[in-house]
Structure formats: C-alpha cells, structure tokens
C-alpha cells in the first residue's frame, strides 16, 4: 500500500516539473545572477567590460560612502508610503461609494477609473507630465480661478509624482475592495443600522474589521509594486530637480546605464530586494497577528 501511495504521489509531482523548470529559469536564475553580478566589476565600457572580475564587497562598501544612496532610500520610502496610502484610501472610498449605486452607474464609472490602470505606465507618465507641466492642464485650470502659475515639477516634484502614481494605481485597490465589500453581509449592516449607528461608525466598526485581511493583502501587493516604480518618475522628473525624486530604481538606472557601472547598479538593486523582503515580513507578521486575534 505504501509503495502504491508513494508512486501515486510521484506520478502527480511529475506534472509540476515543467512549472518548476520555468520558475528556476525565469525567476530563480536571474535572482542568482543578479546577486553574483553585485559582487563583480561588471561594466558597459572600459577594461571592466572586457575583464569581468569578482571584487567581493567593494560595491557594497562603495554604497556606504555614496550619499546619493541614503537620499534615494529616503525618497523611495516617501514615494512608497505616499502612493500606497493614497491608492488604498482612495480605492476604498470609490469602491464604497460605488457599492450603493446601480449597475448602470457602475458600468460607466468603473471603466473610466480603470483607464488609468490599464494604460501602459509610460503613457500615464506622459499624461501626468502634461498635466503638471508649467504650461499644463492643472495650471490652465488654476489660471481660470485667478491663481498664478505654479511650477509643480520644480517646487513640489515628489508631491506631483505621488499624485500621478495614485491616479495610475488606484483602480487596482478599487477592484480589490469592490470584491471584498460585495461579500460583506447586508444583514449585518442592516442590523447595525437598526441599533442606531451612523454610516461612519458602520465603516469603522463593521466593514473595516470584516475586510481587514483584504486590506492587508492589498497593501502588501501595492507596496511591492510601488517599490520598483521607475517609468512614472523618470518620465516626469528624471529623478530631479537635483535628487528630489531620485528613488532607488532611478539611481540604479543612472549608475548602471548612464555611468556604465552595471556591477554597482546591481548592488543598488539588492537594497530594493532587501526592502521588499522587510516589507513582506512586516505585512505577514501583522496579518498573522490579526488572524490570531480574530480567532
């Protein structure tokens, strides 16, 4: 019986081999090579381009002496926290407001909101640049009400980039929260209303506790997506003015492809990997504590 059961298990595992091979080739192998290259002098030009050498921790020692790295970490955290908070909050508000509307309204408004998400990031970035530019749409609107032109991309570049990223990614959170809100029992909400609670109390004491696991999952997903955000920032500001919006992906691109230091740029990417792991661990632990309290 044991031989039959083990053979049955092995026969089922065979079907997983193609998937495992794909994961190893297209996921694990690039990660391994990225880690390896971060310990080399890999470059696009010069003698290092012809003679790849293992330099040990030299790239990482260089990171500690590079003031742009610390600034980029701070800018990355500001960009990520601002974008995630805005997308999650706005996505929930839109989903909540649409829940009580008829199907016709949802069919019209839904695609309009989704347009910013389904468009390629480069297209959204160009649209956002046109909106926040000195001669763009936003300043044109402000001039109609008597407000003088504001150089958004020069005076408030991070604010403009975060708003653009919120617009681009809010639809994802909206869809996640729509699905979660549709599964919230109407009977529970009706009974709460009979007890005399307000709509705001209904959100904080009924809805949010019920969908807290969805909130945590959505927050983790958009955090990991935002950490690696590059196109929106690079098109709108190029990381400037100065280093005001120079996040880690932008700095990595500059060091690797403008300064031709691929090994050093790859070492910078390892910081992003570490930040992603730290955020994942944090969200997993918070979610785990929430499930323990709920049980």
């Amino acid at each position: 019986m044991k031989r039959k059961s083990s053979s049955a298990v092995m026969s089922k595992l065979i079907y997983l081999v193609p998937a495992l091979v794909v994961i190893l080739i297209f996921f694990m192998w690039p990660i391994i090579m990225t880690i390896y290259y971060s310990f080399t002098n890999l470059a696009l030009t010069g003698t290092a381009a012809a003679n790849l050498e293992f330099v040990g921790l030299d790239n990482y020692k260089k990171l500690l002496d590079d003031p742009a790295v610390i600034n980029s970490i701070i800018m990355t955290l500001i960009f990520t926290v601002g974008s995630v908070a805005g997308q999650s909050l706005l996505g929930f508000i839109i989903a909540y407001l649409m829940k009580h509307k008829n199907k016709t309204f949802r069919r019209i408004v839904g695609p309009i909101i989704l347009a910013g998400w389904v468009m390629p990031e480069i297209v959204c970035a160009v649209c956002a640049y046109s909106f926040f530019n000195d001669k763009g749409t936003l300043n044109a609107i402000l001039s109609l009400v008597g407000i003088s032109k504001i150089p958004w991309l020069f005076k408030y570049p991070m604010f403009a980039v975060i708003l653009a990223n919120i617009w681009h990614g809010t639809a994802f959170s909206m869809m996640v929260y729509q699905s979660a809100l549709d599964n919230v029992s109407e009977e529970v909400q009706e009974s709460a209303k009979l007890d005399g609670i307000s709509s705001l109390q209904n959100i904080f004491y009924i809805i949010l506790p019920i969908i807290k696991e969805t909130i945590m999952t959505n927050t983790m997903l958009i955090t990991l997506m935002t950490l690696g955000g590059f196109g929106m920032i690079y098109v709108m500001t190029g990381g400037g003015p100065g280093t005001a919006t120079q996040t880690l992906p932008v700095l990595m691109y500059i060091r690797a492809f403008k300064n031709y230091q691929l090994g050093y740029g790859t070492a910078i990417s390892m910081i992003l990997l570490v930040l992603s792991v730290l955020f994942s661990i944090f969200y997993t632990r918070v979610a785990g504590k929430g499930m323990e309290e709920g049980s």
Side-chain angles (χ1 to χ4, degrees):
M1 291 294 291
K2 289 183 178 180
R3 289 182 179 179
K4 288 183 179 180
S5 60
S6 60
S7 62
V9 172
M10 289 299 296
S11 63
K12 292 180 181 179
L13 290 176
I14 290 175
Y15 295 103
L16 296 177
V17 172
L20 292 174
V21 171
V22 170
I23 291 173
L24 287 173
I25 294 175
F26 296 102
F27 183 72
M28 294 304 299
W29 182 248
I31 291 177
I32 293 170
M33 292 306 298
T34 299
I35 295 172
Y36 169 70
Y37 285 138
S38 70
F39 292 98
T40 67
N41 66 339
L42 183 66
L44 288 176
T45 60
T47 56
N51 301 301
L52 181 67
E53 295 180 0
F54 186 83
V55 296
L57 296 174
D58 286 358
N59 287 328
Y60 291 94
K61 291 177 182 178
K62 191 176 178 180
L63 288 176
L64 299 176
D65 298 326
D66 191 348
V69 173
I70 301 299
N71 174 75
S72 295
I73 292 174
I74 296 172
M75 294 300 104
T76 301
L77 293 176
I78 293 173
F79 175 69
T80 301
V81 172
S83 297
V84 170
Q87 288 181 24
S88 187
L89 179 61
L90 188 58
F92 175 80
I93 292 173
I94 296 172
Y96 179 77
L97 294 176
M98 289 182 64
K99 177 179 172 62
H100 303 286
K101 302 298 181 182
N102 56 50
K103 291 183 178 180
T104 304
F105 181 85
R106 296 178 67 168
R107 287 173 183 172
I108 296 173
V109 176
I112 294 174
I113 298 171
L114 285 172
W117 185 59
V118 298
M119 282 194 300
E121 186 180 28
I122 186 69
V123 177
C124 291
V126 172
C127 292
Y129 176 80
S130 301
F131 183 77
F132 287 104
N133 192 23
D134 290 355
K135 298 180 181 179
T137 309
L138 181 56
N139 279 327
I141 295 172
L142 293 177
S143 65
L144 295 176
V145 294
I147 300 176
S148 58
K149 181 177 68 176
I150 300 174
W152 296 98
L153 298 178
F154 181 77
K155 292 187 69 175
Y156 312 104
M158 182 57 77
F159 177 72
V161 169
I162 288 175
L163 284 183
N165 198 52
I166 290 172
W167 164 65
H168 177 51
T170 293
F172 177 81
S173 296
M174 180 199 72
M175 290 188 297
V176 172
Y177 290 135
Q178 270 188 336
S179 177
L181 290 174
D182 287 340
N183 291 323
V184 176
S185 174
E186 291 289 344
E187 295 178 358
V188 175
Q189 297 184 68
E190 289 297 330
S191 61
K193 288 180 181 180
L194 292 174
D195 290 335
I197 70 169
S198 64
S199 299
L200 197 60
Q201 289 175 323
N202 180 53
I203 293 173
F204 283 100
Y205 297 114
I206 304 297
I207 295 177
L208 291 182
I210 292 176
I211 67 168
K212 62 182 178 181
E213 293 179 11
T214 301
I215 295 173
M216 189 58 60
T217 302
N218 176 69
T219 305
M220 181 175 69
L221 290 175
I222 59 178
T223 297
L224 297 179
M225 288 189 289
T226 306
L227 277 173
F230 170 78
M232 186 71 72
I233 298 174
Y234 195 76
V235 170
M236 290 183 66
T237 65
T243 58
T245 56
Q246 193 177 83
T247 58
L248 283 171
V250 175
L251 179 64
M252 177 180 64
Y253 173 82
I254 292 172
R255 293 291 185 267
F257 299 105
K258 284 195 170 183
N259 299 342
Y260 308 120
Q261 302 171 353
L262 288 177
Y264 184 56
T266 306
I268 295 174
S269 72
M270 289 296 99
I271 302 177
L272 270 177
L273 179 62
V274 171
L275 285 176
S276 299
V277 171
L278 291 176
F279 272 112
S280 299
I281 293 173
F282 170 75
Y283 286 129
T284 302
R285 288 190 174 181
V286 171
K289 289 181 179 179
M291 291 179 66
E292 289 177 1
E293 292 176 359
S295 59

